[in-house]
Amino acid sequence: MFVFKEDALKGRHILVTGATGGIGYEAAKAAVRSGAAVTITGRNEEKLEELSQACQEISSDAKVFVQQADLTSEEDRAKLVEAAVEENGTIDGLVNSAGIGGGGPVKDLSEEDLRKIMELNYTATVLLTQRVFENMREAEAGAVVNLSSLSGLRGTKGNSAYSASKFAITGFTQAFAHEAIEDKIRVNAVCPGFVDTSMGLNAIRKKGEREGRSFEEQMKVVEEGIPSGRITKAEEVANIIVFLLSDAAENVVGESVKISGGSVMR
């Protein structure tokens, strides 16, 4: 077994949700670099086509299938899985990267905000995984990687709605891992802190606003609180995702891998 094989995912079909976001975008590219056929999905069709082109630039014979979908729709989830299997065959790996930030202090939360965050970050993720799992079971092999967060391991001020949705993903990962491994399917999660994506930078900006700081001032505070001295790059999260999808992680089951630059050492 080679940990850093360039073709670690060769012959496999990886479905990446939230592929129009920073982490999902890089995860799809990393999967292509590792030899996988990929199905990419998200709501922004223009961004999906841009990603498809980026994957083709990585490898001229890259097999990339684009399927626009709203994962909160049962009809869209069903169409996504059916079309992905028809185009690229059995789904060998699922990257549940779709999600949104938002919320704020409890006193300011609306019922609509709570429902929207939980519906996409948790409920839609579970229901899509349920569909993909049925496809994986037929092959008695596969890997699921959920995108949780450091916010799914500990709460922080002004972050209750998002944090609750990511705690739910962490719990789902652990509970489902017990069930899925009976069919030789591994389930794990990645838990990054602040990532250099539009969503991550917006979270830093909003935190600064609540604390009366400019974006630059808040970024300085954030990075000074990280032992490595910087926030995480989306490519770094993508590399961990590919590792968890690969055979190099064949006995890694139900884990929540922190990517914190040393800020959470427990």
Side-chain angles (χ1 to χ4, degrees), residues 163-211:
S163 186
S165 73
K166 292 302 183 179
F167 262 88
I169 285 295
T170 302
F172 168 61
T173 297
Q174 295 178 6
F176 184 45
H178 283 284
E179 302 171 23
I181 198 61
E182 295 175 0
D183 292 293
K184 299 182 176 60
I185 297 163
R186 296 180 296 103
V187 182
N188 291 287
V190 291
C191 298
F194 286 118
V195 181
D196 189 6
T197 62
S198 58
M199 181 173 162
L201 297 179
N202 189 51
I204 292 173
R205 183 176 293 106
K206 287 188 174 181
K207 186 173 179 63
E209 289 172 358
R210 292 196 297 270
E211 301 296 331

Side-chain angles (χ1 to χ4, degrees), residues 8-46:
L9 300 180
K10 185 176 181 179
R12 301 187 190 183
H13 173 199
I14 309 300
L15 169 58
V16 182
T17 74
T20 56
I23 294 174
Y25 195 96
E26 294 301 329
K29 288 165 59 180
V32 167
R33 286 192 192 95
S34 299
V38 297
T39 294
I40 53 175
T41 189
R43 299 185 185 187
N44 187 328
E45 197 160 6
E46 183 178 339

Side-chain angles (χ1 to χ4, degrees), residues 214-229:
S214 67
F215 171 76
E216 291 74 19
E217 291 169 335
Q218 186 60 39
M219 177 64 84
K220 187 172 185 292
V221 169
V222 167
E223 294 192 324
E224 286 179 347
I226 302 174
S228 69

Side-chain angles (χ1 to χ4, degrees), residues 3-151:
V3 178
F4 298 111
K5 283 183 68 174
E6 290 184 359
D7 60 350
L9 300 180
K10 185 176 181 179
R12 301 187 190 183
H13 173 199
I14 309 300
L15 169 58
V16 182
T17 74
T20 56
I23 294 174
Y25 195 96
E26 294 301 329
K29 288 165 59 180
V32 167
R33 286 192 192 95
S34 299
V38 297
T39 294
I40 53 175
T41 189
R43 299 185 185 187
N44 187 328
E45 197 160 6
E46 183 178 339
K47 191 76 171 178
L48 288 171
E49 292 297 339
E50 176 190 307
L51 173 57
S52 178
Q53 182 58 41
C55 290
Q56 295 295 334
E57 291 173 3
I58 291 169
S59 173
S60 59
D61 59 353
K63 197 169 182 182
V64 183
F65 176 58
V66 174
Q67 178 72 26
Q68 189 272 343
D70 175 358
L71 296 185
T72 64
S73 162
E74 171 62 22
E75 181 180 359
D76 278 16
R77 290 192 298 268
K79 285 181 178 178
L80 169 62
V81 175
E82 181 180 353
V85 172
E86 183 176 344
E87 182 70 21
N88 283 331
T90 298
I91 298 170
D92 303 292
L94 171 62
V95 180
N96 281 314
S97 184
I100 54 174
V106 171
K107 65 182 180 63
D108 298 329
L109 286 176
S110 68
E111 182 175 349
E112 182 181 359
D113 287 338
L114 284 170
R115 290 187 182 279
K116 184 178 179 180
I117 292 169
M118 189 60 75
E119 183 178 19
L120 180 57
N121 290 8
Y122 175 67
T123 306
T125 294
V126 174
L127 292 175
L128 177 66
T129 302
Q130 187 181 55
R131 282 190 171 275
V132 174
F133 178 58
E134 287 305 310
N135 183 251
M136 288 180 172
R137 287 181 68 188
E138 296 175 10
E140 291 191 327
V144 177
V145 181
N146 296 320
L147 190 65
S148 185
S149 169
L150 293 184
S151 293

